[in-house]
Amino acid sequence: MVKLIKDEPSDINVAGYFIVLVSFTLFNVAITWYLLSYGLDDIFQMLSYPYSGYPVIVYSNGSLAAPIIWLILFTTLLLIVVRGGYELFKKPWLKKVLVHLQIALCVAVILVILAFFVHSIIWKSAAREHGYIECPSSNTTLVKFSKSRTAWTKKESLCHDYQVGEALSSGNHEDIIETAEYLKNR
């Protein structure tokens, strides 16, 4: 394998670096495509559920995962590019940029963790303010065996309704609309 400068421990393998860079870039493009195609729509729908008036809504802990993963992956991609540029050109300003990107990545990870907790508290508070109650998580309620999703309803009796549970099988937006139509026509 070709090395940039021989016998220095901080040198990177050019071929390995290029493979990692291309792989990470393609993965980042895929995540960005998913986020722009599907993820943002799902997130906005989930954020609007407490205000929607649907008889049954679903909260998912993982709803913010795609943009958060994208932010971390994009920052990591920038780190890889700057690290490669620094190893190739040994410019001191690239070293400073690398240090700032590392700090930004650490801050992003901390903000991600805080965002999950804050989002959960705010969403659940908004749902309660609009008359929703959380269905208990058990195998006899709407969302069965799911640790990341919880069903919320305005009537506690719906939490144990088998037909509503069947209509709300996956908890996605289409199922919530189907459940609302089923309950309206019942």
Side-chain angles (χ1 to χ4, degrees):
M1 293 261 161
V2 177
K3 291 254 184 180
L4 295 175
I5 300 171
K6 292 186 179 189
D7 300 328
E8 287 189 29
S10 67
D11 290 340
I12 58 174
N13 179 321
V14 175
Y17 170 77
F18 183 73
I19 290 170
V20 168
L21 181 62
V22 169
S23 300
F24 223 77
T25 302
L26 291 174
F27 189 63
N28 229 329
V29 167
I31 292 290
T32 303
W33 175 80
Y34 170 78
L35 184 62
L36 294 175
S37 299
Y38 302 105
L40 289 177
D41 190 41
D42 291 342
I43 291 167
F44 291 137
Q45 287 173 347
M46 201 273 305
L47 290 174
S48 70
Y49 285 155
Y51 313 100
S52 66
Y54 291 130
V56 178
I57 57 176
V58 174
Y59 171 74
S60 173
N61 290 337
S63 63
L64 293 178
I68 290 169
I69 289 171
W70 180 84
L71 175 66
I72 291 172
L73 288 175
F74 186 74
T75 307
T76 305
L77 179 63
L78 288 177
L79 272 167
I80 292 170
V81 169
V82 172
R83 168 66 191 231
Y86 175 72
E87 291 296 330
L88 286 171
F89 305 113
K90 300 291 186 193
K91 299 288 184 186
W93 67 271
L94 285 172
K95 181 75 168 178
K96 290 178 184 176
V97 170
L98 188 62
V99 169
H100 289 299
L101 282 173
Q102 289 171 340
I103 292 170
L105 183 61
C106 292
V107 168
V109 169
I110 291 168
L111 288 176
V112 163
I113 294 168
L114 289 174
F116 273 120
F117 290 115
V118 170
H119 172 260
S120 175
I121 291 168
I122 290 172
W123 193 96
K124 290 178 180 182
S125 175
R128 286 186 185 101
E129 281 182 24
H130 288 89
Y132 289 98
I133 57 169
E134 185 175 4
C135 292
S137 297
S138 70
N139 62 352
T140 61
T141 58
L142 297 180
V143 182
K144 297 173 178 49
F145 308 111
S146 178
K147 302 242 185 230
S148 65
R149 291 179 177 234
T150 55
W152 291 68
T153 181
K154 292 192 175 202
K155 295 179 186 175
E156 189 174 353
S157 63
L158 293 178
C159 288
H160 304 284
D161 189 319
Y162 179 77
Q163 282 87 17
V164 172
E166 288 298 313
L168 194 68
S169 59
S170 69
N172 62 24
H173 186 66
E174 290 78 21
D175 287 349
I176 290 171
I177 292 171
E178 182 181 315
T179 303
E181 289 176 12
Y182 166 75
L183 289 172
K184 189 169 95 174
N185 296 329
R186 191 159 106 166

